[in-house]
Amino acid sequence: MNVYRMNMPRKLIYGLVPALLLVSRQYLGASGNTNQLMIDSVVVGDNSLTPPIAGTVNLGPFPKDISFRFDFSDTNARTDVRLRGKLEGFESEWHIGGGDMFLAIRFFNTAGNQIDQKSFPVFGESAGWDGSLNTSPLTHRRETIVVPQDAAFAWVVISSAGPPSTLGIYVVANLVMTEMSDSSPPQILLESPFDHPIPFDKDGMPYWQRDGTHMGMAKVVQIGEEPSIKAFAIEDEDPLAHAEWHNVKETSPRVHPGNRLVIEWNEMYSIGVSDLRSVLYPDLPAGNYRFHLVGVDLMGRPNGMDTSLKIFVPQPFWYRPWFWGASMLFIIVILSGITRYAVWHRLQKELLFLRSQRALESERLRIARDIHDDLGARVTQISMISATSLLHSDLPDKTREELSQIKQMSRELISALYETVWTVNPEYDDLDALGNYLCQMVNQICSQTHIRCRLQVADLPKGIQVSSQIRHNIAMVVKESVNNVVKHAQGSEIMLRLVFESAMLKITIQDDGQGFQLSDCRPGNGLNNMRQRMRDIGGSFLIESEPEHGTTVQLSLLISRPLAPTPVEGAGH
C-alpha cells in the first residue's frame, strides 16, 4: 500500500482541502502552479494512484509498468499545444510522442499514375535546435535511390501527412536532385527555386506548388542570419489537417528506370504531437525522481504550462542496513552452531575411536598375558622336565638324544613366545621399546654364535607410537638380516645402527663378511620376503654387497608422531 503524507493540520484538511482540491483540478497542476496542466494519476500495474496536491507519491519497491497520465485542467480540449514529459533523475530525453514529417520521392508512369514512393521521415528535434529559425543550425542529408521499373517522372514532396496529431515545423533548404547513370554524366533534374532563381518554366508554369488539406501551413521562411536564405517550411499547427510542398506535375523531371537518383538537402525541425496524454516506464529502480510535464508551442519553445510530481521508489527491506546486520548476525549464529556441531561430532568420533583402541589394546594385553602366563609356563615346565630327565645316568642313548632335542626345541619355543608377547603387547607400541628390543635380539644372536656385536643407537624420543604390525615386520627383517650374516657371511662382526631424524627411522645392519654378487643372488635367501615386508608397512629396503667387502642392509620408514595412547589399566610385563 502506498501512503501519501501531507504536512497540513488535520482541521485544515477536513475543512479547506475539498474546496481547494476542486479549484486545483480546474486551474492548478499537481505542483500547484497556475499552468492549465495536471497529472491525473499514476498507474502501477493494475493500481491507479491519485497524486496528492503536495508531497511525494510512494510507488513501493520494484514497481512495474508505471504510467503517468495527464491532461489540461480546463474543460476545453487543447489541440494546438504539444506536451512533453520527462522523469528527472532517471532520464535526460523528453517523451514527445510519435509525430513525424517527411521528404519523399514519388514516381509516376507515362499515364500519370503513381507507382512508388520513397520516404525519408524526421521526428523529434534536429541537432542543435533552439527554437529559432535564425540561430538553429541546418543538418545536411544525402540519400540515394534507384529509379523503379516503369517510372517516367518524379516528384519531390515535403509533407506533414504523418500521424494526424502531428504538430511542429519542418524546414528544407538547398534541395538538389541529380540523376546518375553509368553511360552519361550526372544531370541535375531539380533544384530549390531559392537557389536557382527561375520559379517558372518557359510557358509560365511554376515549378513548385502548395498542396494538402490545409495549404496555408506550407510556407516559405527566412532562415539564418547575415545572410539569411529562403527555404521551404511546413508549419503544421492543425492536428486535423496536413500541408505539403511538391514540384508541379506538368513540369516534373523525367527519370530513367535503373538509374540512381541522388537527393541532397539541408534540414531543421521540431516535431511533436497534440495527443500525448501518458508516459510509460516498464520499471524503475529505487530512488527519488520528479516527473516533469511542460507544454511547448509550434517551434518547441516552452509556453508557460508546467507541472511536476515527486516520485519515491523505496529500497526493499533486504537492501537496508538493519536487514544486512540481522542477516549477518543470523549467519554468524548458524555458522557458530554448525561449527560447534562439527567439533562435537568430531570429538564423538575420536572418543569412539579411542574407546575401540582401548578395547583393542585391552584384548591384545589379555592375549599377551595368556601367552606369557599360560603357554610360557607350560613350555618352561616342559624344558625343565626334559633337563631333569637328562640327569639320569641309566638313560639309553637314543632317549637322551630325544630329550636333548625336546630341551632345545622348548628353549626355541620360549624365545618365539617371547617375541610373540612383545609383538602383541600394546605396552611396546613405542619407538624406544622397538629400539631396545632390536638391540637385545641382535646382541643375543651374536652371543650365541660368538660374533662381535657393535650397537650404534642414538637417543630415541619417547611417546612416538609404532604399531604392532610395523614392530613385527621390522623385527623380522632385522632378525633375517642378522641370521643371513650368521649363516652365509662368515664374518666376525655385525654392526647395528639406529637413527631417527625428521620423523624418519633408519636402521642399518652391516657385516665384515665375504659378501656376494647381487646379480648372482638366488630367490631362496629371503631377500624378496624382507623387501615385501618393508613394502607392506610403507618403508624401503636396500642391500649393498660386494665380494670380500661385506654386506650392508638399510631399512627406512617414515613414522608419524601421534598422541600417546590411553594407558590400559593393569598393563604390565
Side-chain angles (χ1 to χ4, degrees):
M1 177 181 295
N2 296 307
V3 179
Y4 306 99
R5 296 181 179 176
M6 295 179 286
N7 300 319
M8 303 178 69
R10 181 169 298 186
K11 291 183 178 180
L12 184 61
I13 292 176
Y14 287 113
L16 298 180
V17 167
L20 291 176
L21 182 59
L22 178 61
V23 174
S24 68
R25 290 308 183 198
Q26 294 179 349
Y27 300 104
L28 303 180
S31 64
N33 297 325
T34 304
N35 50 38
Q36 297 181 320
L37 289 179
M38 56 182 270
I39 301 174
D40 290 325
S41 63
V42 182
V43 179
V44 181
D46 296 329
N47 299 322
S48 180
L49 311 175
T50 301
I53 294 177
T56 302
V57 177
N58 188 333
L59 301 185
F62 300 117
K64 299 291 184 182
D65 299 327
I66 308 101
S67 176
F68 294 90
R69 300 181 181 180
F70 42 85
D71 206 339
F72 298 98
S73 59
D74 56 10
T75 57
N76 298 321
R78 300 290 299 272
T79 61
D80 59 344
V81 177
R82 292 160 51 185
L83 298 182
R84 56 177 60 174
K86 177 172 63 175
L87 190 61
E88 296 175 350
F90 178 72
E91 59 189 348
S92 59
E93 299 295 329
W94 292 93
H95 293 264
I96 60 175
D100 67 74
M101 301 184 193
F102 60 87
L103 184 147
I105 308 299
R106 294 175 183 166
F107 293 99
F108 298 86
N109 59 18
T110 55
N113 299 319
Q114 181 178 330
I115 62 172
D116 199 2
Q117 175 174 303
K118 302 295 183 183
S119 297
F120 307 103
V122 292
F123 44 86
E125 291 183 337
S126 56
W129 177 263
D130 61 6
S132 171
L133 296 178
N134 295 328
T135 57
S136 297
L138 290 165
T139 300
H140 183 71
R141 192 163 179 180
R142 175 189 173 99
E143 302 289 347
T144 301
I145 58 178
V146 177
V147 178
Q149 293 295 324
D150 300 328
F153 304 98
W155 272 12
V156 176
V157 182
I158 304 167
S159 176
S160 65
S165 59
T166 298
L167 296 178
I169 182 170
Y170 181 33
V171 177
V172 175
N174 312 119
L175 176 68
V176 178
M177 183 171 68
T178 305
E179 184 174 39
M180 312 290 288
S181 174
D182 296 335
S183 59
S184 59
Q187 179 183 1
I188 296 177
L189 302 182
L190 190 65
E191 292 182 274
S192 172
F194 314 113
D195 303 320
H196 183 72
I198 304 178
F200 301 95
D201 65 2
K202 62 182 180 178
D203 297 323
M205 294 289 293
Y207 282 103
W208 292 85
Q209 68 179 34
R210 295 174 175 85
D211 205 343
T213 59
H214 191 159
M215 291 187 294
M217 296 188 300
K219 300 180 180 181
V220 176
V221 295
Q222 204 81 17
I223 62 174
E225 295 178 336
E226 298 181 1
S228 62
I229 62 172
K230 291 182 178 181
F232 292 117
I234 305 294
E235 296 183 0
D236 194 328
E237 58 188 4
D238 186 350
L240 302 178
H242 79 281
E244 64 184 36
W245 279 103
H246 62 78
N247 56 298
V248 178
K249 183 176 182 181
E250 288 76 11
T251 60
S252 297
R254 190 171 185 85
V255 293
H256 303 86
N259 286 351
R260 299 186 306 279
L261 291 185
V262 177
I263 304 96
E264 295 187 74
W265 70 96
N266 295 319
E267 62 187 14
M268 66 173 72
Y269 50 88
S270 176
I271 301 171
V273 293
S274 63
D275 61 350
L276 181 65
R277 294 297 182 267
S278 66
V279 175
L280 175 66
Y281 299 91
D283 51 47
L284 287 177
N288 289 284
Y289 308 102
R290 177 173 172 260
F291 183 73
H292 192 188
L293 180 66
V294 298
V296 297
D297 61 13
L298 183 71
M299 302 291 287
R301 296 171 297 208
N303 61 5
M305 296 182 180
D306 186 287
T307 189
S308 64
L309 178 66
K310 292 181 180 180
I311 301 297
F312 175 61
V313 178
Q315 290 277 10
F317 71 89
W318 55 86
Y319 282 4
R320 298 176 184 175
W322 68 263
F323 175 79
W324 285 106
S327 298
M328 291 300 297
L329 180 61
F330 177 76
I331 292 173
I332 291 173
V333 170
I334 292 298
L335 291 178
S336 299
I338 293 174
T339 303
R340 292 188 62 182
Y341 175 77
V343 171
W344 176 83
H345 186 67
R346 184 176 64 184
L347 289 176
Q348 292 299 314
K349 289 181 64 176
E350 290 180 357
L351 287 175
L352 183 62
F353 174 75
L354 290 176
R355 288 170 183 169
S356 63
Q357 283 290 102
R358 186 171 180 178
L360 178 62
E361 290 176 359
S362 298
E363 183 65 16
R364 288 172 55 194
L365 182 60
R366 184 192 66 78
I367 294 173
R369 284 174 176 173
D370 290 347
I371 293 175
H372 183 273
D373 297 342
D374 189 10
L375 294 180
R378 294 176 184 272
V379 174
T380 301
Q381 187 177 7
I382 293 173
S383 177
M384 293 177 60
I385 293 174
S386 59
T388 304
S389 299
L390 287 173
L391 297 177
H392 296 287
S393 57
D394 57 348
L395 290 176
D397 293 338
K398 185 175 181 180
T399 301
R400 187 178 298 278
E401 180 181 355
E402 291 176 349
L403 288 175
S404 298
Q405 291 178 357
I406 292 173
K407 178 182 177 182
Q408 181 63 30
M409 292 175 63
S410 299
R411 290 179 177 178
E412 292 177 355
L413 184 56
I414 292 173
S415 178
L417 286 175
Y418 173 72
E419 292 179 1
T420 302
V421 169
W422 177 81
T423 299
V424 300
N425 194 333
E427 264 198 339
Y428 301 121
D429 287 352
D430 181 85
L431 181 61
D432 185 57
L434 173 63
N436 292 334
Y437 178 79
L438 294 179
C439 292
Q440 294 176 15
M441 180 182 67
V442 173
N443 186 59
Q444 182 179 1
I445 295 175
C446 291
S447 297
Q448 294 174 354
T449 57
H450 306 291
I451 298 177
R452 289 193 306 273
C453 177
R454 294 174 56 193
L455 303 175
Q456 295 182 1
V457 181
D459 291 337
L460 299 177
K462 298 188 180 295
I464 296 183
Q465 279 189 292
V466 182
S467 67
S468 61
Q469 180 189 10
I470 292 176
R471 292 191 292 112
H472 175 71
N473 281 282
I474 289 178
M476 291 297 100
V477 173
V478 171
K479 185 176 182 180
E480 182 68 17
S481 300
V482 174
N483 286 333
N484 284 340
V485 174
V486 173
K487 295 178 182 178
H488 308 293
Q490 298 180 7
S492 61
E493 182 180 273
I494 295 176
M495 183 182 68
L496 174 67
R497 183 185 297 113
L498 275 78
V499 179
F500 183 75
E501 294 179 347
S502 301
M504 181 67 71
L505 175 64
K506 296 181 180 180
I507 302 174
T508 304
I509 303 98
Q510 185 176 359
D511 67 76
D512 60 352
Q514 62 183 357
F516 62 94
Q517 193 69 36
L518 290 176
S519 57
D520 297 336
C521 180
R522 294 175 296 177
N525 61 3
L527 294 182
N528 290 338
N529 292 338
M530 291 189 288
R531 185 176 288 108
Q532 184 60 44
R533 283 184 180 276
M534 292 303 298
R535 188 180 295 117
D536 290 342
I537 59 175
S540 63
F541 175 87
L542 177 65
I543 184 169
E544 297 176 350
S545 183
E546 292 184 9
E548 307 303 330
H549 290 83
T551 300
T552 300
V553 174
Q554 293 182 347
L555 313 179
S556 298
L557 178 66
L558 183 65
I559 297 179
S560 59
R561 292 176 175 265
L563 296 174
T566 304
V568 180
E569 295 181 2
H573 296 282

